[in-house]
Amino acid sequence: MRLQQGENLDIMTMPIETTTKKLARKKAPVAKKKMIGRDVSWLAFNARVLQEAADKTVPLYERIRFLGIFSNNLDEFFRVRVATLRRMLSFGKSAKMHLEENPGKIIDSIQTIVMEQQREFDRVWKDIAQELEAQHIFLRTEKQLNREQQKFVLNYFNEQVRTNIIPLMIESIQQFPFLRDKSIYLAVVLARADNSISQKFALIEIPTSVLPRFIILPSKPGEHDIMLLEDVVRFCLPNIFSYFGFDKFSSHIIKVTRDAELDIDNDIATSIIHQIEKGLKDRRKGKPVRFVYDKDIDPLLLEYLIRRLGLSGKDNLIPGARIHNFKDFMDFPESIFPPHSHRKSFIHPLFQNATSVMHVVQRQDVMLHFPYHSFDTIIDLLREAAIDPNVSSIKITAYRLAKNSKIINALINAVRNGKQVTIVLELRARFDEAANLDWKSRLEEEGVKVLLGVPGMKVHAKLCVIKKRIGNKTIQCGFVSTGNLNERTARVYGDHCLLTANRAIMADINKVFAYLENGHHDIKLLENCKTLPVSPFNMRNTFLRLIDREIKNARNKKKASIIIKMNSLSDAVLISKLYDAAKAGVDIKMVIRGICCAYTENKKWKKQIHAVSIVDEYLEHARVFIFHHGGQEKVYIASCDWMIRNLDHRVEAAAPITDLAIRKEIIDIMKIQLSGNVKARVLDNEQRNEYYREGDKKIRSQVEILKYLHEKQYQ
């Protein structure tokens, strides 16, 4: 499971300025019923990640990775969510966040919860460190090296590290240097044992962006000694500062987390690319929103740093242990652990012996379930389209792409083979902006038509349409997906992708692309969509009508049920409608991975809401909506969560599942997830994260889904 690869938590509304302008044009409906605070709910989700790190039934290597994921999540939470809350403070008492109290109270609550979670994190890491030692894996500090290791470390420093560091004598610098986000710094006190020289302070940025954080040392047979890069620098401090005459050093790691918002406005006279580039530069100098430091740091040095950074008690000063930036532990050396088998993806049976992906899709709809099914089928589809002489055009959306994207390679090859290729590239995919700018340049150089989306909105829909011309007949096929076109994350993100040649779906996908290609982005172009619910046009209203149908049936003593799966649930209007449904007696079951602002228990309801969160080896990323609909189930997959930003400020798409076999497949998978009692946590009103343990048989839903798909027979 990897939350860090392009996922970025999905915890933010749009920048304040943009949101204000959008709401001036179109106000979302208002619901006044009580909800759970979004930040509290998100922190409860990250606590579930920490639970996985604490779970001794999880392989040790995976537990270390979960610590890294927890740390990375928290970093992004502070960069984005806390940063926005702090900027909201400047608006005064009138400023309020969606579903929230005033920003100051929220920040105080965050500080309290984060400090409590940090104590649990430290406990879990201490426990893991002991287990590492039991497996003869040791993290060595600069004071624990034998002679052979000392020689190795000194050589490594001289050959690899020395040219990548520049010590800063911070007391002699008039303007304090900007400490970069995502970096760790060694804060050093320089002194002489005989006090003949006044002590000085220095900072050294640890070059983890160019060198590995973990260095495997020469070790005894049967043992593995590992050293952190900052401890290599610590060991060599006498070499670094020898010409100053100091012989006594104390050093501690510090880290600053900065505001990551781009604050892109809707000034159409300014190139969006220029705004993105400017925003990326500004991000590097964003205001500090968190300062983390080794609790054993020299008090005078700490006081000096706080003063020079312009921090205060409101700036989330967080004392920690010796090691920071645990996000790097997601890349802890795997080779030193005994081999362990990962669940492996497989080619969907309908494609295993097929000579053409498109021929299969033209005959019948096929649902791919990642990461159980291989993502290679999507790449094969685009490669086939790139060389098929009958294919005339490919249109596709892209939100987050793999570093060496095979998707991009296929699209470039299609252009070289004379196809018209259009890609909607979302430049504002948070933390992927720079990478997407690079992709834009490369694609345009190759002749791909690159669209940059809609001003003031992100294009988050996952759509593709391929057109073939055979004689006088046009044939279309493509897909609607819940996940990104990223072959790397598809190995660990749980998503659904509908491959289809359904004419109604293809017609609506073409209408969405017409909207995106239209220079004026006329919303009326989306009004013509008859099959796909789309944001920002009718997504929310579609689901409101479907819930109302279930409420009506429940009130008429008919069977009524709703099954929902998504990443985040915070839209007040839809939550309020779910409350109405529960009050009417609709059977509601939910699988919500992250934020869940809905209460699930109320004495006034005829039926309580059953809601769980599944955190396991794979990241549950899919969005699924199932409505009983009088026995004629309505089943949808979608790219969007039920959040204001997805429903009102993004281009999103949902697809109805019309194939009866696939519909049953989706329903079966959701039943497996709802019966899971190993990795599911109950989402109660208090967000306590208690494990769901009902049932006599242990059911680990991700394992059971893999088994179900392996055994499924297809015609």
Side-chain angles (χ1 to χ4, degrees):
M1 168 188 163
R2 285 182 181 267
L3 288 116
Q4 83 286 357
Q5 295 295 339
E7 187 59 11
N8 296 321
L9 309 179
D10 287 347
I11 55 172
M12 280 299 306
T13 57
M14 295 184 63
I16 298 163
E17 294 81 2
T18 304
T19 303
T20 303
K21 292 179 182 180
K22 294 295 292 184
L23 292 179
R25 296 197 297 270
K26 176 185 176 182
K27 290 187 178 180
V30 176
K32 296 182 179 180
K33 296 184 180 179
K34 195 172 182 182
M35 316 288 175
I36 296 171
R38 200 169 82 180
D39 300 290
V40 171
S41 184
W42 185 89
L43 289 168
F45 153 67
N46 212 30
R48 296 193 282 277
V49 177
L50 191 55
Q51 280 181 326
E52 287 297 291
D55 186 348
K56 294 189 177 184
T57 67
V58 174
L60 188 56
Y61 173 71
E62 294 294 328
R63 293 177 64 193
I64 295 170
R65 288 181 60 250
F66 275 111
L67 282 184
I69 293 167
F70 172 89
S71 179
N72 187 62
N73 288 350
L74 197 59
D75 283 350
E76 293 185 10
F77 178 73
F78 272 87
R79 287 190 197 108
V80 179
R81 180 67 180 180
V82 175
T84 298
L85 289 167
R86 286 183 53 76
R87 284 184 286 119
M88 288 288 290
L89 286 173
S90 64
F91 283 72
K93 294 183 179 180
S94 62
K96 290 186 178 181
M97 299 294 290
H98 174 52
L99 304 182
E100 307 286 6
E101 304 173 73
N102 69 67
K105 288 184 178 180
I106 302 171
I107 291 173
D108 290 342
S109 297
I110 289 170
Q111 177 80 346
T112 300
I113 296 170
V114 168
M115 292 295 287
E116 182 179 340
Q117 289 184 351
Q118 184 63 50
R119 287 189 289 271
E120 173 64 5
F121 181 97
D122 293 342
R123 185 197 68 77
V124 173
W125 168 240
K126 183 178 180 181
D127 183 56
I128 288 175
Q130 291 174 349
E131 291 196 36
L132 284 170
E133 292 185 3
Q135 294 189 20
H136 307 291
I137 299 169
F138 302 94
L139 279 179
R140 299 299 187 189
T141 71
E142 72 280 7
K143 297 178 180 179
Q144 298 173 322
L145 305 178
N146 60 39
R147 288 189 179 182
E148 182 186 9
Q149 291 171 337
Q150 289 177 4
K151 183 178 179 181
F152 175 89
V153 169
L154 186 58
N155 287 338
Y156 182 84
F157 176 82
N158 288 326
E159 293 174 6
Q160 301 290 335
V161 183
R162 182 183 290 276
T163 56
N164 285 299
I165 61 172
I166 301 175
L168 300 174
M169 306 301 292
I170 51 180
E171 289 173 290
S172 61
I173 301 174
Q174 186 173 3
Q175 184 172 349
F176 197 77
F178 278 103
L179 303 189
R180 290 199 283 190
D181 199 10
K182 299 186 180 181
S183 292
I184 51 174
Y185 291 81
L186 199 61
V188 187
V189 179
L190 313 171
R192 273 191 67 87
D194 60 8
N195 296 321
S196 60
I197 302 176
S198 299
Q199 71 174 22
K200 298 290 184 183
F201 299 147
L203 281 181
I204 301 174
E205 182 177 1
I206 304 302
T208 53
S209 60
V210 293
L211 293 173
R213 181 83 180 273
F214 304 97
I215 295 91
I216 299 177
L217 303 174
S219 309
K220 296 177 182 178
E223 293 186 357
H224 297 282
D225 290 345
I226 298 172
M227 193 173 195
L228 292 169
L229 183 57
E230 58 263 35
D231 288 334
V232 171
V233 177
R234 277 186 169 111
F235 180 77
C236 296
L237 286 175
N239 303 69
I240 298 171
F241 295 106
S242 59
Y243 45 84
F244 286 106
F246 297 108
D247 61 7
K248 184 180 177 182
F249 308 92
S250 67
S251 56
H252 300 86
I253 289 292
I254 63 168
K255 180 178 75 169
V256 171
T257 305
R258 296 188 178 278
D259 186 335
E261 273 301 302
L262 291 178
D263 281 331
I264 298 172
D265 60 28
N266 291 322
D267 183 1
I268 59 174
T270 304
S271 163
I272 189 171
I273 300 171
H274 172 72
Q275 293 179 52
I276 291 284
E277 290 173 337
K278 180 180 181 296
L280 289 172
K281 292 177 182 177
D282 291 344
R283 175 179 288 172
R284 300 187 189 106
K285 298 183 179 181
K287 292 181 179 179
V289 292
R290 182 175 59 156
F291 179 67
V292 183
Y293 58 92
D294 186 335
K295 64 180 181 298
D296 295 324
I297 193 172
D298 181 281
L300 292 177
L301 175 56
L302 176 62
E303 181 184 349
Y304 177 82
L305 291 170
I306 291 173
R307 176 165 50 84
R308 292 298 303 270
L309 286 167
L311 300 173
S312 68
K314 292 287 185 180
D315 293 291
N316 289 286
L317 308 177
I318 299 176
R322 176 184 173 94
I323 302 173
H324 297 306
N325 254 27
F326 258 85
K327 67 181 180 62
D328 295 330
F329 279 64
M330 289 186 288
D331 298 314
F332 196 86
E334 187 174 6
S335 61
I336 64 174
F337 292 90
H340 60 283
S341 60
H342 292 277
R343 305 171 208 164
K344 293 183 179 180
S345 62
F346 61 98
I347 298 294
H348 190 291
L350 289 173
F351 297 113
Q352 283 177 358
N353 299 311
T355 58
S356 166
V357 175
M358 278 192 285
H359 288 172
V360 174
V361 176
Q362 285 162 13
R363 289 197 305 267
Q364 66 185 103
D365 287 358
V366 183
M367 183 72 81
L368 298 178
H369 307 281
F370 308 129
Y372 311 101
H373 290 143
S374 172
F375 190 78
D376 287 349
T377 301
I378 299 297
I379 298 168
D380 290 342
L381 171 66
L382 294 174
R383 283 176 174 164
E384 181 183 331
I387 62 175
D388 187 335
N390 294 315
V391 168
S392 58
S393 69
I394 304 170
K395 293 183 179 181
I396 196 167
T397 60
Y399 193 71
R400 301 189 192 280
L401 295 160
K403 187 174 182 180
N404 299 305
S405 175
K406 295 178 182 178
I407 298 291
I408 293 295
N409 290 338
L411 296 175
I412 289 173
N413 286 331
V415 172
R416 291 172 179 172
N417 278 293
K419 321 299 180 189
Q420 294 180 348
V421 178
T422 302
I423 180 169
V424 182
L425 193 63
E426 182 47 71
L427 291 184
R428 290 167 296 175
R430 182 171 282 118
F431 303 120
D432 273 22
E433 302 94 346
N436 285 355
L437 277 173
D438 291 340
W439 284 125
K440 176 183 180 297
S441 299
R442 180 180 171 189
L443 287 163
E444 289 182 334
E445 287 173 3
E446 295 286 350
V448 176
K449 181 180 179 182
V450 179
L451 303 177
L452 302 180
V454 182
M457 292 191 187
K458 290 183 180 181
V459 179
H460 194 248
K462 327 295 186 188
L463 302 172
C464 175
V465 59
I466 299 167
K467 290 186 180 181
K468 294 177 66 173
R469 189 74 178 172
I470 302 177
N472 294 324
K473 187 178 181 181
T474 298
I475 300 172
Q476 299 183 81
C477 68
F479 59 76
V480 181
S481 181
T482 68
N484 300 316
L485 297 180
N486 187 315
E487 57 267 30
R488 185 164 184 242
T489 59
R491 295 197 295 265
V492 287
Y493 280 30
D495 276 301
H496 305 302
C497 180
L498 176 67
L499 297 174
T500 183
N502 181 289
R503 290 185 178 183
I505 291 176
M506 289 296 105
D508 279 4
I509 292 177
N510 279 304
K511 291 168 187 174
V512 174
F513 277 106
Y515 167 73
L516 295 172
E517 292 177 272
N518 179 275
H520 299 291
H521 302 293
D522 187 354
I523 195 73
K524 291 182 179 179
L525 294 169
L526 296 180
E527 293 177 8
N528 295 322
C529 291
K530 305 300 182 184
T531 303
L532 301 184
V534 291
S535 294
F537 173 57
N538 66 344
M539 187 77 75
R540 181 190 283 107
N541 286 338
T542 296
F543 288 124
L544 286 171
R545 286 196 298 271
L546 288 165
I547 298 171
D548 275 331
R549 172 70 181 264
E550 299 304 315
I551 293 173
K552 181 179 178 181
N553 285 340
R555 288 173 177 167
N556 289 332
K557 310 300 182 182
K558 297 179 181 179
K559 184 175 180 179
S561 67
I562 301 170
I563 297 175
I564 295 170
K565 178 182 179 181
M566 66 184 86
N567 296 326
S568 298
L569 172 60
S570 66
D571 184 75
V573 176
L574 283 164
I575 290 174
S576 179
K577 185 63 70 174
L578 289 176
Y579 289 173
D580 292 342
K583 187 176 181 180
V586 177
D587 184 23
I588 302 173
K589 294 181 173 65
M590 305 193 300
V591 178
I592 311 293
R593 187 195 79 216
I595 298 166
C596 181
C597 295
Y599 284 106
T600 57
E601 304 158 296
N602 190 310
K603 292 180 180 179
K604 296 180 180 179
W605 296 346
K606 288 186 178 179
K607 285 200 173 182
Q608 306 304 302
I609 297 173
H610 174 65
V612 296
S613 174
I614 299 169
V615 179
D616 199 353
E617 181 177 347
Y618 299 148
L619 173 73
E620 297 294 341
H621 188 253
R623 289 87 167 182
V624 176
F625 308 95
I626 302 171
F627 302 88
H628 184 261
H629 205 69
Q632 303 295 318
E633 285 98 343
K634 292 280 188 179
V635 179
Y636 293 82
I637 63 168
S639 61
C640 65
D641 295 313
W642 284 2
M643 304 178 76
I644 279 183
R645 63 119 185 251
N646 295 89
L647 301 169
D648 296 329
H649 304 295
R650 287 188 174 186
V651 178
E652 306 268 15
I657 307 303
T658 58
D659 183 281
L660 293 178
I662 296 177
R663 194 184 298 170
K664 182 179 183 303
E665 191 173 284
I666 290 287
I667 293 172
D668 287 347
I669 288 172
M670 287 307 304
K671 286 180 178 178
I672 291 171
Q673 292 211 315
L674 287 165
S675 66
N677 55 15
V678 175
K679 291 295 184 179
R681 284 80 162 174
V682 177
L683 295 177
D684 57 18
N685 287 1
E686 291 76 33
Q687 308 258 310
R688 292 174 295 183
N689 291 332
E690 293 182 353
Y691 284 90
Y692 180 70
R693 295 302 193 207
E694 292 190 18
D696 298 328
K697 178 185 175 183
K698 285 188 176 182
I699 299 174
R700 188 172 177 179
S701 59
Q702 291 183 355
V703 173
E704 294 302 317
I705 291 170
L706 179 61
K707 181 180 178 182
Y708 169 85
L709 292 173
H710 261 302
E711 295 176 351
K712 185 173 174 59
Q713 299 295 315
Y714 294 88
Q715 295 182 350

